[in-house]
């Protein structure tokens, strides 16, 4: 019988985050897990802190030091087998090395782009990343970049959905008023996304857009009427996908992204997934059978026009897409099992 692995997990702890679902994945795989949440240390910044970070590119020194000291002390007290860090923007190289000296397997997972997206990196992470024993990424284009940067072991792992959060929901009468629409999008504003969705809005479709930075689009864009002005998470997000005839799955233009968490979350909620056409998307879903895809804003408009008027075809594809993600077992629990199997092999080899 394999010994129970002890995992010291560091990352965001709010329900609906990639990190929380991954941490729960370790628990579901029988691991003993202790979590150090970054939420209490970072992200709820005061205005002075934001100004400080803009200049120094670091959080306040006392907060930054307390965070890393807490990790080091927990390494001593908890004596984990694995230090699993998600998006470790402020975990220092010294802490990673300290864990390794203690014989702990150190793993980093970044849900975003480390090299091409300035929003999701830091000098601290750039210095520490090559020290980890294993780097896990859901971005195929990042694999070689990590290796060239000096990371010795890099593992590609697809995104996933969390069945505790992403599942079909029944909408109440009020929820149908709130969430039913022709087209929905959940995500951050980027110029390509804004332009494409503005074209959809200009054609008179009912549209709902959730996420951040949508207040940055031009004030005269028709799209402004359809921006909800806030992000949306968990079961409420499932209601968005359930209520929309079409849920658009844009990929970022910041790099050559091939798929994302929405790739699995939308079908898992029994939403109709209309995503950016990529090799990975078309490998996961059969076009026109389990989902559908577009490349240009013009093609997006064509697909919206087609599917909003064909309920039966759309519903068949939606059901097939839902059945596909269930059959694939594309869950965080299954993804974490991949990581655990790699670690157990490593531990057995060392012993």
């Amino acid at each position: 019988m394999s010994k129970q692995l002890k995992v010291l997990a560091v990352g965001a702890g709010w329900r609906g985050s990639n990190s929380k679902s991954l941490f729960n994945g370790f628990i579901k795989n029988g691991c003993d897990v202790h979590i150090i949440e970054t939420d209490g240390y970072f992200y709820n910044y005061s205005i002075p802190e934001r100004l400080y970070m803009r200049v120094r590119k670091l959080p306040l020194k006392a907060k930054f030091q307390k965070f890393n000291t807490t990790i080091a002390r927990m390494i001593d007290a908890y004596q984990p087998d694995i230090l699993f860090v998600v998006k470790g923007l402020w975990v220092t190289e010294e802490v990673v090395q300290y864990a390794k000296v203690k014989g702990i397997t150190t793993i980093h997972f970044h849900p975003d782009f480390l090299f091409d997206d300035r929003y999701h990196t830091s000098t601290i992470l750039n210095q520490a990343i090559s020290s980890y024993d294993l780097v896990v990424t859901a971005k195929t284009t990042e694999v070689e970049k990590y290796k060239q940067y000096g990371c010795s072991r890099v593992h590609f792992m697809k995104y996933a959905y969390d069945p505790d959060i992403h599942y079909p929901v029944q909408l109440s009468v009020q929820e149908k008023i709130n969430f039913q629409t022709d087209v929905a999008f959940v995500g951050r504003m980027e110029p390509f996304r804004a332009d494409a969705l503005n074209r959809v809005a200009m054609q008179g479709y009912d549209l709902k857009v959730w996420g951040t930075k949508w207040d940055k689009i031009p004030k005269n864009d028709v799209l402004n009427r359809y921006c909800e002005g806030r992000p949306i998470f968990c079961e409420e997000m499932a209601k968005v996908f359930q209520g929309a005839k079409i849920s658009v799955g844009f990929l970022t233009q910041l790099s050559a992204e091939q798929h994302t968490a929405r790739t699995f979350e939308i079908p898992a909620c029994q939403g109709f997934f209309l995503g950016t056409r990529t090799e990975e998307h078309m490998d996961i879903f059969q076009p026109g059978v389990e989902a559908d895809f577009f490349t240009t804003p013009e093609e997006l408009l064509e697909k919206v026009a087609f599917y909003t008027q064909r309920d039966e075809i759309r519903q068949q594809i939606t059901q097939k897409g839902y059945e596909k993600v269930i059959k694939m077992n594309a869950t965080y629990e299954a993804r974490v099992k991949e990581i655990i199997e790699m670690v157990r092999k490593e531990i057995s080899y060392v012993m």
Side-chain angles (χ1 to χ4, degrees):
M1 182 177 178
S2 300
K3 85 160 203 173
Q4 184 183 37
L5 291 176
K6 296 173 69 176
V7 181
L8 178 57
V10 181
W14 51 273
R15 187 169 179 270
S17 63
N18 300 113
S19 47
K20 182 65 171 178
S21 293
L22 285 163
F23 301 161
N24 287 340
F26 278 103
I27 294 170
K28 290 178 179 180
N29 274 283
C31 297
D32 184 80
V33 180
H34 182 89
I35 301 172
I36 297 177
E37 296 184 3
T38 52
D39 316 42
Y41 292 91
F42 311 111
Y43 307 122
N44 294 316
Y45 299 117
S46 64
I47 293 175
E49 283 181 297
R50 291 181 185 278
L51 293 173
Y52 179 89
M53 288 186 67
R54 188 172 296 177
V55 175
R56 300 297 299 273
K57 309 301 181 185
L58 286 170
L60 292 176
K61 187 176 181 181
K63 188 179 287 188
F64 174 69
Q65 289 180 337
K66 182 181 179 182
F67 172 64
N68 283 281
T69 299
T70 298
I71 299 173
R73 288 177 176 172
M74 190 51 62
I75 286 171
D76 290 336
Y78 182 54
Q79 298 184 355
D81 300 293
I82 299 171
L83 173 64
F84 183 74
V85 179
V86 178
K87 200 173 182 178
L89 298 181
W90 311 122
V91 178
T92 64
E93 181 181 9
E94 288 75 18
V95 164
V96 178
Q97 292 290 0
Y98 183 68
K100 293 175 70 172
V101 168
K102 297 280 186 175
I104 298 165
T105 300
T106 57
I107 304 173
H108 186 274
F109 173 73
H110 203 325
D112 301 296
F113 287 96
L114 178 66
F115 300 101
D116 297 332
D117 185 351
R118 63 185 177 86
Y119 296 105
H120 299 293
T121 190
S122 70
T123 302
I124 298 299
L125 178 55
N126 291 346
Q127 291 170 346
I129 193 65
S130 60
S131 295
Y132 286 91
D133 294 308
L134 176 65
V135 172
V136 181
T137 177
K139 313 289 190 184
T140 47
T141 55
E142 295 275 279
V143 173
E144 282 305 316
K145 293 178 183 178
Y146 276 116
K147 290 179 179 179
Q148 292 170 10
Y149 199 74
C151 300
S152 57
R153 295 178 64 198
V154 185
H155 175 64
F156 170 70
M157 179 183 79
K158 286 188 177 74
Y159 283 104
Y161 74 94
D162 187 334
D164 295 333
I165 297 172
H166 310 115
Y167 57 87
V169 293
Q170 293 296 318
L171 301 183
S172 67
V173 173
Q174 184 58 51
E175 286 170 341
K176 288 179 180 179
I177 295 171
N178 295 340
F179 297 111
Q180 282 189 340
T181 187
D182 290 328
V183 181
F185 175 69
V186 177
R188 185 180 67 190
M189 192 282 293
E190 290 185 15
F192 176 84
R193 301 171 178 181
D195 174 63
L197 290 174
N198 191 52
R199 297 191 194 194
V200 173
M202 290 172 65
Q203 294 300 312
Y205 292 102
D206 191 14
L207 176 65
K208 292 186 185 296
V209 178
W210 309 81
T212 58
K213 299 189 181 297
W214 290 97
D215 58 327
K216 306 297 183 185
I217 66 175
K219 299 303 179 186
N220 60 344
D221 277 7
V222 177
L223 181 60
N224 280 288
R225 302 176 199 166
Y226 304 100
C227 294
E228 298 295 325
R230 67 180 178 92
I232 198 165
F233 305 101
C234 299
E235 284 83 0
E236 203 177 17
M237 186 169 70
K239 292 171 185 176
V240 170
F241 300 148
Q242 187 74 202
K245 290 183 178 179
I246 296 170
S247 291
V248 182
F250 288 112
L251 300 178
T252 184
Q253 297 285 297
L254 298 173
S255 190
E257 192 168 51
Q258 287 283 308
H259 83 288
T260 188
R262 298 284 187 272
T263 301
F264 299 104
E265 292 169 355
I266 293 171
C269 295
Q270 261 187 355
F272 181 92
F273 179 55
L274 180 58
T276 303
R277 182 180 289 104
T278 65
E279 289 184 9
E280 283 179 26
H281 269 165
M282 295 178 70
D283 182 57
I284 296 168
F285 298 113
Q286 187 175 348
V289 177
E290 299 161 331
D292 213 341
F293 307 106
F294 65 92
T295 300
T296 64
E298 291 77 17
E299 188 178 10
L300 172 62
L301 282 173
E302 291 173 8
K303 295 292 175 74
V304 167
F306 180 84
Y307 286 115
T308 52
Q309 298 301 314
R310 289 166 176 81
D311 292 350
E312 186 176 348
I313 294 174
R314 190 183 68 250
Q315 289 163 7
Q316 288 174 352
I317 293 173
T318 299
Q319 181 62 26
K320 290 289 186 182
Y322 172 72
E323 292 171 359
K324 182 63 174 289
V325 295
I326 300 301
K327 182 179 179 180
M328 292 174 69
N329 192 24
T331 64
Y332 284 97
E333 181 180 353
R335 303 296 189 235
V336 168
K337 187 177 181 181
E338 297 176 28
I339 297 172
I340 291 173
E341 288 175 350
M342 294 177 70
V343 172
R344 286 201 182 280
K345 288 178 182 177
E346 187 74 17
I347 291 173
S348 298
Y349 176 77
V350 171
M351 293 175 64

